[in-house]
Amino acid sequence: MTDSSLPFLSLTKGRMHEAYGAGAPVFACALVQLCRGHVIWVREGWRLEQINPVGMAAFLDPATLILCQTKDQLEALAVAEDALRSGAAAVVVIELSKPVGLTEGRRLQLAAREGNATGLALIGAEAMGSNAAETRWQCLPVFEPDAGTKAAIQDSTLQQWDLKKNKSGTLGSWHVRWDAASRRICVVSPAGDRPGAAPAPGDRAVCTDASTTKHQPDLLPERGGRAAESG
């Protein structure tokens, strides 16, 4: 896949990335499906909310999900590091409850490089991220003014994904939605291209099929995007 409108489909392999916001779990699930492989999901066992693999069936085969629960973040970091280094999974997701230091971030980066795996840390806020992360994404649901209409309900997966940090390219912002029937991620115009809504002039929806998408080695920049942050 080389469409520059879909840069998040080509997160650099062998690197750690970060996502935060209410839509971060959706970002993680979409990434796992597009990478087409097993996922190891690491989280602390004390969390009240639980992950039900069957609930992720719209994004991925529940049988490909390996859920690891740890006693604390220190153990979670160790498990994620081992998982990344082993190369046993295409994607390793770790949920973090505390800020990560530069040392821990670099260890995860080295492990991802050794295992040629894609790592994704779900962090509580941008300030909790590590300077070692390759990219950092803010993922938020988009609520339409007509939230009670049938069209809005059908488009409940609508998200805004903002690339806040990118060591290898530019920054940008995209409105996206997940098509569960075809397992595709679609970039849509903020003004239109919603199910049941008339598109604005010149707007279009750009989708990619997860069954044919190849995991790209580089992050493609958005045309006209801002310069990347270095920190």
Side-chain angles (χ1 to χ4, degrees):
M1 182 68 193
T2 58
D3 191 331
S4 60
S5 297
L6 305 172
F8 45 84
L9 301 186
S10 50
L11 292 180
T12 307
K13 293 185 67 175
R15 296 289 189 275
M16 278 296 301
H17 306 271
E18 295 175 345
Y20 66 97
V26 175
F27 182 92
C29 289
L31 173 63
V32 170
Q33 171 59 23
L34 294 167
C35 288
R36 301 189 60 78
H38 284 78
V39 56
I40 297 178
W41 196 299
V42 186
R43 66 201 312 266
E44 297 171 68
W46 58 263
R47 292 178 178 272
L48 296 179
E49 69 278 9
Q50 299 295 315
I51 289 182
N52 183 357
V54 178
M56 298 181 177
F59 296 90
L60 53 90
D61 180 356
T64 64
L65 174 63
I66 301 173
L67 182 60
C68 302
Q69 298 197 91
T70 65
K71 64 179 181 179
D72 54 31
Q73 179 160 299
L74 183 62
E75 187 175 75
L77 288 168
V79 171
E81 183 179 337
D82 288 343
L84 287 165
R85 183 173 289 108
S86 71
V91 180
V92 175
V93 178
I94 177 173
E95 296 183 40
L96 299 174
S97 58
K98 301 175 183 177
V100 177
L102 183 59
T103 299
E104 293 89 345
R106 284 178 173 172
R107 289 181 65 92
L108 291 174
Q109 286 285 12
L110 290 173
R113 184 180 303 174
E114 290 181 26
N116 195 32
T118 300
L120 179 65
L122 302 183
I123 58 179
E126 185 172 10
M128 289 178 57
S130 169
N131 287 335
E134 184 74 14
T135 66
R136 183 175 299 125
W137 297 79
Q138 181 184 44
C139 308
L140 299 173
V142 176
F143 300 100
E144 298 284 16
D146 56 347
T149 66
K150 181 178 179 180
I153 293 174
Q154 289 176 341
D155 201 19
S156 62
T157 62
L158 186 62
Q159 304 263 321
Q160 180 173 339
W161 292 350
D162 297 322
L163 183 54
K164 297 291 189 178
K165 173 185 177 181
N166 182 8
K167 287 188 173 182
S168 303
T170 56
L171 309 180
S173 178
W174 299 266
H175 279 68
V176 303
R177 64 179 178 84
W178 178 260
D179 188 331
S182 58
R183 291 194 172 181
R184 298 187 303 171
I185 194 73
C186 298
V187 176
V188 298
S189 165
D193 285 337
R194 308 285 190 266
D203 289 341
R204 66 189 183 99
V206 182
C207 302
T208 185
D209 191 339
S211 63
T212 59
T213 299
K214 295 182 179 179
H215 196 53
Q216 300 294 322
D218 299 309
L219 184 67
L220 297 174
E222 181 193 52
R223 181 177 299 176
R226 293 170 289 164
E229 295 180 359
S230 59

